[in-house]
Amino acid sequence: MPRDVNGNGDIFGGWLVTQMDLAGTISAQKRAQGRVATVAIDSMVFLRPIKVGDIVACYTDIIEIGRSSIKISIEAWEMSDPENAPRKLTEGLFTFVAINAQGRTRPLP
Ligand SMILES: CCCCCCCCCCCCCCCC(=O)SCCNC(=O)CCNC(=O)[C@H](O)C(C)(C)COP(=O)(O)OP(=O)(O)OC[C@H]1O[C@@H](n2cnc3c(N)ncnc32)[C@H](O)[C@@H]1OP(=O)(O)O
């Protein structure tokens, strides 16, 4: 079976979760001004299948800041067809933690 495709011929959900994690990491790194690690995915909802060749965009929204943690709502949208409105594919709640070079937590700046 192709690596990024599921048994229905649609894109494997894990591939999309990986893209969402990358988008969240970029946002968290910016806020943390340095290295972060994903500590939790508190919720993940798959609303629609993605077809091979679809154009997908991920959007992040920081919703909570702790001492070292950053909770981010992340959504993926499909926007392949300029004639039609974008459609939400997934939504998830990810938590990232600011870490130092030794991998230990550090307070957010
Ligand atoms: C649905 C699936 C379908 C697809 C299915 C196929 C999958 C297909 C691939 C997908 C892929 C995905 C994307 C993977 C993304 C990675 O790669 S995840 C793996 C990478 N991450 C890591 O390796 C991190 C490992 N964890 C650690 O090293 C340690 O837990 C950490 C991050 C250093 C934190 O250490 P700690 O001792 O817990 O630190 P502690 O001081 O107790 O807590 C620090 C902060 O974290 C917060 N925290 C700790 N634990 C939690 C928690 N559980 N929740 C929330 N906050 C927490 C604390 O509240 C605290 O917050 P602040 O009060 O400081 O703001």
Side-chain angles (χ1 to χ4, degrees), residues 29 91 101 108:
Q29 281 176 338
E91 55 191 34
L108 289 166

Side-chain angles (χ1 to χ4, degrees), residues 12-14 17-18 21 37-42 44 46 66-69 95 97 99 103-105:
F12 176 52
V17 176
T18 303
D21 183 69
T38 309
V39 73
I41 301 177
D42 290 316
M44 186 66 221
F46 297 92
R67 188 190 78 91
S68 67
S69 65
T95 303
V97 174
I99 54 170
R104 300 208 185 80
T105 60

Side-chain angles (χ1 to χ4, degrees), residues 16-108:
L16 192 51
V17 176
T18 303
Q19 309 313 308
M20 294 170 73
D21 183 69
L22 289 171
T25 297
I26 292 167
S27 171
Q29 281 176 338
K30 218 166 163 184
R31 174 58 185 83
Q33 293 174 26
R35 187 185 292 207
V36 299
T38 309
V39 73
I41 301 177
D42 290 316
S43 71
M44 186 66 221
V45 182
F46 297 92
L47 300 166
R48 296 170 190 278
I50 318 171
K51 307 292 176 200
V52 173
D54 277 352
I55 297 172
V56 174
C58 292
Y59 296 98
T60 64
D61 186 20
I62 294 177
I63 57 168
E64 204 179 302
I65 296 283
R67 188 190 78 91
S68 67
S69 65
I70 305 167
K71 194 169 277 197
I72 304 185
S73 166
I74 306 175
E75 296 180 354
W77 288 71
E78 185 268 321
M79 41 186 52
S80 308
D81 184 355
E83 302 291 314
N84 288 310
R87 299 186 311 161
K88 199 198 298 191
L89 300 167
T90 62
E91 55 191 34
L93 200 52
F94 291 58
T95 303
F96 300 86
V97 174
I99 54 170
N100 61 21
Q102 287 71 45
R104 300 208 185 80
T105 60
R106 64 181 169 90
L108 289 166

